[in-house]
Each structure stands twice: as C-alpha cells, then as structure tokens.
Amino acid sequence: QMKLVESGGGSVQAGGSLRLSCKYTGTTYSGGTMAWFRQPPGKAREGVASIRTDGSTTYAESAKGRFTLSKDKVKDTLDLQMNDLKPDDTGMYYCALEGWGPSMATMGETTFGTWGQGTQVTVSS
C-alpha cells in the first residue's frame, strides 16, 4: 500500500551537496523505520541512514558527519541532506520502508522490503 518516490539526485563535484527527498504515500501505513540505501556501480546495496518512529537515527560510518536524515511530517517526505560529497558516494539511492517485500535488505537490526524507484547520484572529482 505504501508508495515511495525519490527525487533530488544529480551530478555534482566532490565537496558539493545534494538533498534527496522521498515522498511516501499509503492509506495503510502505520509507521515503521525508514531509510536510504545506495548501490554503487558493481557493488551490493548498502544502508546509508535510517530513522525510527521515535526520531532516532542511524548512519553508516561513511555518512557520519556529512549526511543528515530527517522526516518532514507535514510534507510526508524523508529527506537526506548530503554535504561534502565524495566520489565514493556515487550510486543509485533508494528510499526504503521497514517490512516484508519481494526484495529485502537490512541495515543494523532492521529489515526493509518496500522500495522506491531510485535516484542517481554521481560525484565526480
């Protein structure tokens, strides 16, 4: 029932910033952890940042100090502010919702099964 739509990706030089947004909609959504994952070219999908229903956040080590995850409860969006971008940040970024689905991935102790279509982030040096 949930639909996730990402936006905000693009091409940026190292040191630049991007703000990704995930619009979520669904009549049966009752809450759950949400996250941003990324999949670099030729590599596996990895969790970048997640936020629980209580507002607590978890970041991948590579994202700490540079990325900030937040929810806009008015706009129903999950936003990822990415600063000081590096070439290693390049990849397809996906918004995810905790739960079961056709495709599953984990970050920490949380499993995610609902995904958006992804938005490409390319960081050049």
Side-chain angles (χ1 to χ4, degrees), residues 95-106:
C95 182
L97 174 66
E98 177 185 8
W100 289 89
S103 180
M104 303 289 289
T106 62

Side-chain angles (χ1 to χ4, degrees), residues 55-125:
S56 62
T57 53
T58 300
Y59 296 92
E61 188 65 30
S62 62
K64 290 181 179 178
R66 299 187 298 124
F67 294 5
T68 303
L69 184 65
S70 62
K71 271 187 177 180
D72 189 323
K73 297 181 179 180
V74 176
K75 298 180 179 179
D76 289 336
T77 59
L78 179 69
D79 303 313
L80 183 67
Q81 178 67 45
M82 305 188 295
N83 298 325
D84 191 24
L85 285 163
K86 303 175 180 180
D88 285 348
D89 294 319
T90 293
M92 184 69 73
Y93 282 67
Y94 298 92
C95 182
L97 174 66
E98 177 185 8
W100 289 89
S103 180
M104 303 289 289
T106 62
M107 182 178 184
E109 299 178 352
T110 308
T111 60
F112 299 85
T114 300
W115 305 87
Q117 83 288 348
T119 185
Q120 178 67 37
V121 171
T122 302
V123 184
S124 62
S125 60

